[in-house]
Amino acid sequence: MLNLLMTPHAARTVRGLFGTVADAVRSVVTPAALVEAQQLESIETETAPDPTDVYAADELPEIEAIETAAAEYADAADQARTADRAKRKSRKLLDRLPAGLYGGWLVSRTPSSRQTADLDSIRATYERLGLGPVPMKQSAPSLKVERVDVPALTA
């Protein structure tokens, strides 16, 4: 029995159970504090500054065009996520196949032409030369589009 509790899966399950029990106790003792904490967690999301080439106030397109573009973007993003999940599922089998012809499908591998910096080697070189930490820059911010309910304005 003790052996079952020592597995990583069981440890995560027990930690999750303790977290649930702790939330339940907090909700009885100070229910408002738990709700406020959860609301703060959902509100406190990091936002990036706008890029430099955004529309000026007098250049903004009509709201209908913006809503259409946002809906199309959200639909396309959903389709892309669905396609990515399907590709990952298929790759689990295909990645383990040796190159060859399978029915009407040829499975092969080609070397990639992409290259990335070897950060471990760069760090070692910087350390060896006493140049301090490797300079890094942030990636471009991701565009996020989500549907929200907006109360109707009354005139």
Side-chain angles (χ1 to χ4, degrees):
M1 178 70 177
L2 185 59
N3 224 7
L4 288 174
L5 293 176
M6 299 307 287
T7 65
H9 178 68
R12 283 191 302 270
T13 304
V14 170
R15 274 195 306 267
L17 182 61
F18 282 137
T20 303
V21 170
D23 285 346
V25 169
R26 276 195 304 262
S27 70
V28 170
V29 176
T30 56
L34 182 62
V35 171
E36 288 171 3
Q38 288 174 347
Q39 285 176 340
L40 284 176
E41 286 174 10
S42 66
I43 291 172
E44 293 175 2
T45 58
E46 188 176 333
T47 58
D50 287 331
T52 57
D53 62 344
V54 296
Y55 289 114
D58 59 337
E59 298 175 320
L60 287 174
E62 296 294 323
I63 193 72
E64 292 81 16
I66 296 171
E67 287 180 323
T68 300
E72 289 172 353
Y73 182 90
D75 289 344
D78 284 342
Q79 291 172 4
R81 281 189 291 274
T82 301
D84 283 341
R85 281 192 289 273
K87 283 173 50 179
R88 281 193 301 273
K89 181 181 175 186
S90 297
R91 281 195 69 146
K92 284 182 182 180
L93 180 126
L94 296 171
D95 277 346
R96 297 193 59 200
L97 291 176
L101 188 61
Y102 298 91
W105 297 96
L106 175 64
V107 174
S108 62
R109 290 165 183 82
T110 58
S112 174
S113 62
R114 286 192 229 167
Q115 295 182 336
T116 59
D118 181 357
L119 286 179
D120 291 334
S121 175
I122 294 170
R123 282 188 191 101
T125 302
Y126 266 64
E127 187 175 320
R128 189 179 75 242
L129 299 174
L131 298 174
V134 175
M136 304 292 279
K137 69 178 193 176
Q138 293 290 328
S139 299
S142 299
L143 178 64
K144 182 178 178 182
V145 176
E146 54 189 321
R147 182 78 172 139
V148 295
D149 293 325
V150 179
L153 299 174
T154 55

